[in-house]
Amino acid sequence: MSDPVPLDDAQLADSVLPAGSDPFVLFEEWFAAAQVGELNDPNAMALATATPGGAPSVRMVLLKGHGKGEIAGGGFTFFTNAESRKGGEIRANMQAALLFHWKSLRRQIRIEGPLTEVSPERADAYFHSRPYKSQVGSAASDQSRPLPERQTYIDRVQEIWAEHEATGKVPRPPHWTGFTLSPQRIEFWIDRDNRLHDRREFTRSAPDASWSDTLLYP
């Protein structure tokens, strides 16, 4: 049996996640680093929802708003078809969890909390900020529901495209909306070799409450 390789200073170093930090400020620092260091979609995040009976599901979505100005107490916003599977689960159980995994940076952030639907005005503004192609694709899609054949969807895309091409603007479907997660728990995770990872968890009881934090065993 070969001798074990000694642990190095980097693995044995103290936490670089300072106690008493503002997790929103720390998120902004990490997100800025991801926008530089993560090649593809640094705003991609796993969104986990569940039915009232507790059956979970998860998928990737894009973060479209974040910070203290999103909602009272701060939050993280995404947009979706509310008639999709995730939309139905959200409407039935307004709780969710988010996961950012920036593999290139070897960092993760987990966020959990209740959801609030954005205003129709904000949903309109974001929907119409998207490229015309994306507006058409979204309006044509009965997201998550059975599709007899792809040509059915393509035909609907072409019909909507032709109908609104002159204005370059598709009316937002009433079921296309957004949700903002108000975090009750945020965990920051930094990879270190040999599973000596660095983790700090921030929790609060309400949007206007102060944060508490603690290191976690890796």
Side-chain angles (χ1 to χ4, degrees), residues 65-118:
H66 53 92
K68 295 183 179 180
E70 287 298 298
I71 195 174
F76 301 86
T77 300
F78 61 92
F79 291 85
T80 186
N81 183 326
E83 294 181 347
S84 66
R85 178 180 175 184
K86 63 180 173 294
E89 291 177 356
I90 288 170
R91 286 274 171 80
N93 178 19
M94 295 284 284
Q95 300 278 334
L98 309 174
L99 169 64
F100 294 87
H101 177 212
W102 295 307
K103 186 174 182 180
S104 301
L105 303 181
R106 301 176 69 162
R107 292 179 175 181
Q108 295 186 80
I109 302 178
R110 299 169 62 191
I111 307 172
E112 301 169 15
L115 297 166
T116 301
E117 189 167 352
V118 304

Side-chain angles (χ1 to χ4, degrees), residues 15-216:
S15 173
V16 297
L17 298 168
S21 298
D22 182 330
F24 282 108
V25 173
L26 190 54
F27 177 87
E28 296 297 339
E29 293 174 358
W30 282 32
F31 189 64
Q35 290 176 301
V36 175
E38 191 68 40
L39 296 179
N40 296 308
D41 296 326
N43 63 330
M45 59 186 185
L47 166 66
T49 56
T51 66
S57 61
V58 65
R59 75 290 290 160
M60 301 301 294
V61 299
L62 297 179
L63 178 71
K64 290 299 181 179
H66 53 92
K68 295 183 179 180
E70 287 298 298
I71 195 174
F76 301 86
T77 300
F78 61 92
F79 291 85
T80 186
N81 183 326
E83 294 181 347
S84 66
R85 178 180 175 184
K86 63 180 173 294
E89 291 177 356
I90 288 170
R91 286 274 171 80
N93 178 19
M94 295 284 284
Q95 300 278 334
L98 309 174
L99 169 64
F100 294 87
H101 177 212
W102 295 307
K103 186 174 182 180
S104 301
L105 303 181
R106 301 176 69 162
R107 292 179 175 181
Q108 295 186 80
I109 302 178
R110 299 169 62 191
I111 307 172
E112 301 169 15
L115 297 166
T116 301
E117 189 167 352
V118 304
S119 68
E121 293 77 17
R122 183 167 185 191
D124 282 340
Y126 177 67
F127 187 82
H128 292 127
S129 74
R130 305 169 80 202
Y132 181 65
K133 294 178 182 179
S134 295
Q135 295 180 43
V136 172
S138 294
S141 176
D142 293 333
Q143 193 177 55
S144 301
R145 278 166 284 180
L147 175 63
E149 58 181 9
R150 185 165 174 80
Q151 190 60 45
T152 301
Y153 177 52
I154 299 304
D155 290 345
R156 189 180 296 180
V157 166
Q158 292 176 329
E159 179 182 348
I160 294 174
W161 183 287
E163 183 178 359
H164 300 287
E165 186 176 11
T167 63
K169 185 176 180 180
V170 179
R172 175 182 65 88
H175 54 265
W176 196 94
T177 185
F179 296 92
T180 301
L181 186 148
S182 176
Q184 294 177 333
R185 182 186 307 270
I186 304 180
E187 180 194 320
F188 295 83
W189 180 98
I190 299 176
D191 175 83
R192 292 190 186 182
D193 291 340
N194 301 311
R195 289 203 77 259
L196 300 182
H197 311 313
D198 191 3
R199 297 172 65 186
R200 184 172 293 277
E201 178 187 70
F202 297 81
T203 59
R204 65 181 181 182
S205 58
D208 59 352
S210 59
W211 290 97
S212 299
D213 66 90
T214 182
L215 287 174
L216 299 176

